[in-house]
Amino acid sequence: MGFQLYEYREFIEIQYNSEKTLKFYYIWLRDHCRCSQCYNTKTHQISSNILNIPINIKPSKVEIIEDNLYITWEDKHQTTYSLPSLEKTDFPLISKREIVLWNKNNVSHFQDVKIPSKIYFENEDGPKKLLHSLLKYGFGLVTDVEPTLEATQMVAEKIAPVQKTYFGEMWSVSNDYQFSDTAYTNVALGAHTDNTYFTEAAGLQIFHMLSREGTGGETLLVDGFNVATNLKNRDKDDFEFLCKYSIESQYIEEGNHFSNIEPVIKLHTITKQLLQVRYNRYDRAMLQCIPQEKILQFYKAYKSFGNEVCNPINEWWLKLQPGSVLFIDNFRVLHGRAAYTGQRNLCGCYLSRVEWLSKARTLGLNIL
Ligand SMILES: C[N+](C)(C)CCCC[C@H](N)C(=O)O
Ligand SMILES: O=C(O)CCC(=O)C(=O)O
Ligand SMILES: [Fe+2]
């Protein structure tokens, strides 16, 4: 590899193989000294103090020898950087992750969404396959699992500890009004994401149908990123409105009052890619944060998003079977269910986003 070095007053430029040129400010370079005095490789924490580094810090000597950049600073401190690793710090303006948008037509053709429990529990490749599917499609399944709450918990805990909420840790949903929420009845539920009323919604929702007798109760999934993308292509103003304006959500019962105000669509602050869809028409609170002169625009945009959510082409209906544990990315994929009669026992749990993404990173998956 060939490197060319250009020195300026506040920064250097390095030309890689006469192709791309990267710019590094001296203050950034000094801040990123990874010598044992400046950085603790055991804790991965910074030991130097940025407050003691002058913003106009200068080197007294800069040179490249083979694959390394050597800098001696004015105070005689020395830093070595590996040029290939400096190259990797290039700003991640675009997402590196493979995201496949889906609707009813392509979703049933995906081959890499099901992992048999034997493979899942064999070694870390199993959970890695599941997380890969979650990152790519927003859902994944572990099959051939014993239809019990305990076995479901074991499947969940290969990824992360179960997230405790006011619904408990592992929960089971049937028609018994165990909590004051429509989920615990037998009526139909339109596609929604859970926990819009939390400052951070659950990251993953896990469903395992333990038993069912009677009719109906099929599960509905909708790719919220696909819905948002369709909206953006059809009406950019509607899309931008839902990204910009926050709306209120709530969950109220005896002893609990959860509330949160955030936009329906959230974009990643760096990549500007879709980060989260928050859509639950049931759990909306009184709309007071949208200025009156924007109210009509809000309803137009919200209905436009909602109509796309219930466009039959975007609806994937599936009949969950005992033995199949479904993982859903609650930041991306909406879920719902058909009304049912008779007995139906659905168990599951939440996993926090912080935890499942951490697990994915440790397995070397691209998150951004
Ligand atoms: C999954 N579990 C049954 C525990 C919760 C039920 C959902 C509660 C609420 N309506 C929401 O959408 O967040
Ligand atoms: O009963 C179902 O299939 C799902 C209910 C629901 O939306 C939930 O538990 O979050
Ligand atoms: Fe739900």
Side-chain angles (χ1 to χ4, degrees), residues 171 173 183 189 192 194 205 207 217 219 335-337 344 346 350:
W171 31 257
V173 186
L189 281 176
H192 63 274
D194 274 16
Q205 164 106 281
F207 284 152
T219 296
H335 63 276
R337 66 149 190 250
R344 178 181 183 269
L346 178 71
Y350 292 131

Side-chain angles (χ1 to χ4, degrees), residues 295-315:
I295 283 289
L296 295 182
Q297 229 181 314
F298 164 74
Y299 282 108
K300 176 179 169 286
Y302 194 73
K303 281 156 80 68
S304 179
F305 186 93
N307 281 326
E308 190 67 32
V309 166
C310 47
N311 184 337
I313 197 176
N314 292 323
E315 294 190 336

